[in-house]
Amino acid sequence: MNTATDAPPARDGPTLRLLLGDQLDPLHPWFGERRADVVYVLMEVRQETDYVRHHAQKVLAIFAAMRALAQQLRANGHRVRYVTIDDPSSRQTLTGNLDALTRHYRAAAVEYQHPDEWRLDALLREWGADAPVPVRAVDSAHFLAPRDGVTRALAGHRQWVMEHFYRRMRRQHRVLMDGDAPAGGQWNFDADNRQPWRGEPPEPPDPRPCHDQQALWRTIEAAGVATIGDPQADTLRWPLTRAEALAQLDAFVAHALPHFGPYQDALSHTHTRLFHSQLSFALNVKLLHPREVIARAEAAWRSGDAPLASVEGFVRQILGWREYVRGVYWAHMPGYTARNALGHQRPLPRWYWDGQTRMACLRAAIGQTLAGAYAHHIQRLMVTGNFALLLGCDPAEVHRWYLGVYIDAFEWVEAPNTLGMSQWADGGLMATKPYVSSASYLQRMGDHCRACPYDPRQRVGERACPFNALYWDFLARQRERLAANPRMAMMLRQLDRMGPEALAATRQHAEALRQRADAL
């Protein structure tokens, strides 16, 4: 990066077009024509590796996918400037490098796609306001609803219930519709999709590619980037190109989608994927477009290759939930990530960082997260998230943990899921009730309890499952806040029937668990 001259840039230089690490869509309208007066800029910078401590596979996969797109763009005749993590002239920030590159190329203008994270959107807007050249922002052409789509759809509602938005999106985009009615006569088949998995049907083979990225990993380490988890640099199992992502989508639709619905909430200590697509990384870095993923799933139902309950459950995650959380995020930022409606302040137990806990379900969920940068939504919501909420952990720390450890975690999607759905830190804006449970739910939906030293049937005592006492103590602590919530009425009635002595013993045990949380 040559910065020898500080002369004002000539206005007849090229336009620089910035591509962020989650803007890797080779079909974006930008690339419709080859232009000699456009230089595409991609950067590996410490600003992005260091704002939280990320999983090693997250850093590795994003960098590798960025490099693959740069190579593809060059092969297609585009001009590309790629700043590597070890580039000695890099300022290690997006705007520092944009300043230098604007001078170097004597750029006439800078363009960027709207970032999905508020911090980057604010950063680039502020930089653009003072830049020496015109700075323009364009849409990423990725989402099906605008940033304010949820705000407009749910304005005036006390709670922003996803189902209302989802039905609106179904109608608008004509997805799983028979005329004006939902396919199958109902909007939601969630009641059909809550079965535990007992070994049949078998989990399909892992369709993801296998990459040797050892050289890139050595570069990342040498640059001083601090990460967590296993990089698996010699066998990285994430798609790095659109072709690989499409192949993974094909395999999911053919082999896993037919069984996705019934077992989407199931937990297994021996199988980490079951029938989940694991397409969230490819979607969130924009190798795939949600419209094509939804279309493939719907086509499988219409051709008779997948049942409606499975397809609807999957479509709801993409067309409903994914678009919904993005809208919640943009409606309530900045400030949403600082919410703490319950006033929780405890640190996460140390074993969230190494998986060394005696609780089998948590050991499995955290262990596979550290090994593979992935856990499915019930592991995140009802295992790791449930325990952190019952224990009373600081939601800001929980948020940073989720943002760092998962391959698909970008703040626009992670923050509402963690702070709203998982930790109830927004006071019920998103979730109609706190998503908490005792051991009974985990025992019903999974098989971990059989190999656990804790007994899911006991509430107090040395062998009692910690989820039990912490659950009832949570209800007791939050009783006044939850009393008016109809979805909590049954649990609060059970709490009232416990009796004062039993409740006192339960709460005493819960406090003891909190005091020795690191040793559980």
Side-chain angles (χ1 to χ4, degrees):
M1 189 184 300
N2 181 10
T3 60
T5 177
D6 290 324
R11 293 304 175 93
D12 58 353
T15 293
L16 304 183
R17 285 180 170 174
L18 174 66
L19 292 168
L20 299 174
D22 62 345
Q23 296 175 340
L24 307 182
D25 177 10
L27 302 184
H28 189 274
W30 266 356
F31 308 127
E33 59 177 337
R34 291 186 293 273
R35 292 175 50 181
D37 63 340
V38 169
V39 177
Y40 292 99
V41 177
L42 297 92
M43 308 179 199
E44 302 167 355
V45 289
R46 292 294 296 272
Q47 171 189 320
E48 294 306 288
T49 63
D50 295 3
Y51 66 91
V52 295
R53 193 176 179 190
H54 295 284
H55 198 292
Q57 289 181 40
K58 185 178 182 182
V59 177
L60 187 58
I62 290 174
F63 281 9
M66 289 169 63
R67 293 182 178 206
L69 177 63
Q71 182 179 7
Q72 180 181 349
L73 292 177
R74 289 189 180 108
N76 291 341
H78 297 287
R79 296 175 66 186
V80 176
R81 180 60 178 263
Y82 197 98
V83 180
T84 60
I85 193 67
D86 59 347
D87 187 330
S89 65
S90 174
R91 275 67 173 165
Q92 295 299 339
T93 67
L94 294 172
T95 54
N97 284 339
L98 283 175
D99 283 333
L101 291 170
T102 299
R103 292 192 298 268
H104 170 69
Y105 284 99
R106 296 180 172 271
V110 173
E111 297 178 346
Y112 64 91
Q113 297 176 27
H114 286 298
D116 294 322
E117 296 194 346
W118 186 88
R119 65 183 180 87
L120 293 180
D121 188 75
L123 176 74
L124 291 174
R125 277 191 288 106
E126 292 169 6
W127 178 80
D130 296 327
V133 297
V135 177
R136 299 181 288 268
V138 304
D139 194 85
S140 67
H142 178 76
F143 292 95
L144 299 174
R147 282 180 177 177
D148 65 349
V150 172
T151 301
R152 287 187 289 172
L154 301 180
H157 292 250
R158 186 181 68 84
Q159 287 183 313
W160 285 21
V161 178
M162 189 276 290
E163 185 72 17
H164 302 316
F165 173 75
Y166 170 55
R167 293 182 185 188
R168 181 177 178 139
M169 292 289 283
R170 288 266 297 271
R171 292 188 182 100
Q172 178 182 345
H173 294 280
R174 309 302 303 165
V175 174
L176 294 177
M177 298 295 293
D178 288 336
D180 293 330
Q186 62 190 74
W187 292 101
N188 189 315
F189 289 84
D190 197 39
D192 299 331
N193 292 340
R194 298 170 180 167
Q195 298 180 31
W197 182 71
R198 305 304 187 198
E200 291 292 336
E203 179 186 70
D206 190 344
R208 294 175 299 161
C210 186
H211 299 282
D212 186 342
Q213 292 291 335
Q214 294 179 85
L216 176 55
W217 178 243
R218 288 192 293 270
T219 299
I220 292 170
E221 284 191 303
V225 177
T227 61
I228 55 176
D230 185 351
Q232 297 189 8
D234 57 339
T235 56
L236 186 68
R237 300 300 303 268
W238 297 101
L240 305 180
T241 65
R242 174 169 167 77
E244 291 177 348
L246 286 170
Q248 185 179 336
L249 173 60
D250 289 342
F252 166 69
V253 171
H255 303 297
L257 179 59
H259 307 296
F260 169 77
Y263 307 110
Q264 64 176 300
D265 289 358
L267 298 165
S268 171
H269 78 283
T270 56
H271 293 74
T272 60
R273 293 177 295 104
L274 291 181
F275 307 100
H276 292 272
S277 73
Q278 294 185 290
L279 290 169
S280 52
F281 172 72
L283 277 163
N284 291 355
V285 298
K286 303 179 180 60
L287 295 175
L288 293 175
H289 195 283
R291 192 184 306 277
E292 66 187 328
V293 176
I294 293 164
R296 287 295 310 280
E298 182 172 15
W301 167 64
R302 296 198 179 275
S303 65
D305 293 324
L308 180 58
S310 284
V311 172
E312 188 279 320
F314 179 69
V315 165
R316 189 169 357 112
Q317 290 190 345
I318 309 298
L319 181 64
W321 193 255
R322 186 172 184 268
E323 298 281 334
Y324 165 75
V325 296
R326 175 177 180 256
V328 170
Y329 176 79
W330 282 104
H332 296 281
M333 286 294 286
Y336 189 82
T337 54
R339 293 194 179 188
N340 188 356
L342 301 179
H344 287 171
Q345 299 293 337
R346 292 184 176 274
L348 280 172
R350 59 159 183 80
W351 37 262
Y352 269 73
W353 303 98
D354 61 21
Q356 299 302 308
T357 173
R358 297 171 65 213
M359 289 176 282
C361 59
L362 282 155
R363 185 172 64 248
I366 296 171
Q368 77 171 66
T369 294
L370 296 174
Y374 169 79
H376 68 69
H377 68 283
I378 292 298
Q379 290 174 303
R380 301 188 201 193
L381 179 64
M382 298 307 299
V383 182
T384 53
N386 183 14
F387 192 84
L389 178 56
L390 294 177
L391 196 65
C393 294
D394 181 353
E397 185 180 3
V398 180
H399 157 59
R400 291 190 295 271
W401 185 80
Y402 276 93
L403 184 57
V405 297
Y406 290 116
I407 189 83
D408 53 9
F410 297 89
E411 192 178 74
W412 66 269
V413 63
E414 175 276 328
N417 272 302
T418 300
L419 297 163
M421 192 69 174
S422 173
Q423 299 302 296
W424 219 65
D426 65 8
L429 172 71
M430 285 178 57
T432 55
K433 70 177 184 67
Y435 275 83
V436 291
S437 79
S438 65
S440 60
Y441 173 85
L442 302 172
Q443 185 179 31
R444 182 170 69 254
M445 294 307 300
D447 56 6
H448 298 86
C449 295
R450 287 178 287 179
C452 186
Y454 294 107
D455 188 342
R457 297 164 298 182
Q458 295 185 28
R459 190 171 62 240
V460 298
E462 185 177 344
R463 292 198 61 241
C465 177
F467 277 92
N468 291 333
L470 291 171
Y471 171 74
W472 293 111
D473 180 70
F474 175 85
L475 294 181
R477 284 187 289 116
Q478 303 298 336
R479 196 188 197 296
E480 183 176 346
R481 183 187 295 272
L482 302 175
N485 188 325
R487 296 195 66 194
M488 300 299 296
M490 183 178 70
M491 287 77 87
L492 294 178
R493 284 196 298 270
Q494 291 177 339
L495 178 71
D496 291 340
R497 288 196 292 267
M498 189 176 293
E501 291 185 5
L503 179 58
T506 299
R507 299 198 66 183
Q508 183 179 11
H509 184 60
E511 180 58 27
L513 293 170
R514 281 192 288 270
Q515 295 303 318
R516 58 184 181 90
D518 283 346
L520 294 177

